[in-house]
Amino acid sequence: MARRSSGGRSARPAPRRAPAPAPVRQASAPAPAQSGSGGGIGSVIAEGMAFGGGSAIAHRAVDGLFGPRTIQHETVVSAAPTPTSKSMGGSDACSVHSKAFQDACCKAPSGIVYLKVK
């Protein structure tokens, strides 16, 4: 069997042309290095001192507007006394070891140097 001609047309549609790419913008030149004031630890220290000074001035301004800051310490007295290691009768698992440690610290001639782990 012979092939039929399609009249010069192919079965596939003609490929479309891709749009032209957008022009690439060049990045701006980097900023020139600062001369004179330099950088490093000196500028960091100066910046920290300026920040601290500004903070102190701001604190004084707030104290001037709202009054000085005051701190009140309150103690709460509980109704039931807290149990101590002596009143617990040594029921704590660590009380024996704690007492041995305290005895060794007090009795040793130069402190903790003579303590041994058993």
Side-chain angles (χ1 to χ4, degrees):
M1 230 184 208
R3 287 186 167 180
R4 291 185 186 179
S5 90
S6 62
R9 292 187 178 188
S10 65
R12 284 188 238 152
R16 292 185 178 182
R17 292 181 73 186
V24 178
R25 292 181 53 185
Q26 296 292 329
S28 62
Q34 294 179 355
S35 61
S37 64
I41 191 75
S43 65
V44 171
I45 291 172
E47 184 177 339
M49 291 175 67
F51 182 76
S55 177
I57 292 170
H59 278 95
R60 293 291 298 239
V62 169
D63 287 346
L65 292 173
F66 298 111
R69 292 168 276 176
T70 58
I71 300 172
Q72 294 179 341
H73 296 281
E74 297 180 8
T75 56
V76 178
V77 180
S78 62
T82 58
T84 61
S85 61
K86 292 181 181 180
S87 68
M88 291 176 64
S91 63
D92 186 14
C94 297
S95 65
V96 175
H97 299 293
S98 177
K99 183 168 177 3
F101 178 76
Q102 292 297 325
D103 291 342
C105 286
C106 295
K107 292 179 183 176
S110 63
I112 301 178
V113 176
Y114 292 101
L115 292 177
K116 293 181 183 177
V117 178
K118 294 182 181 183

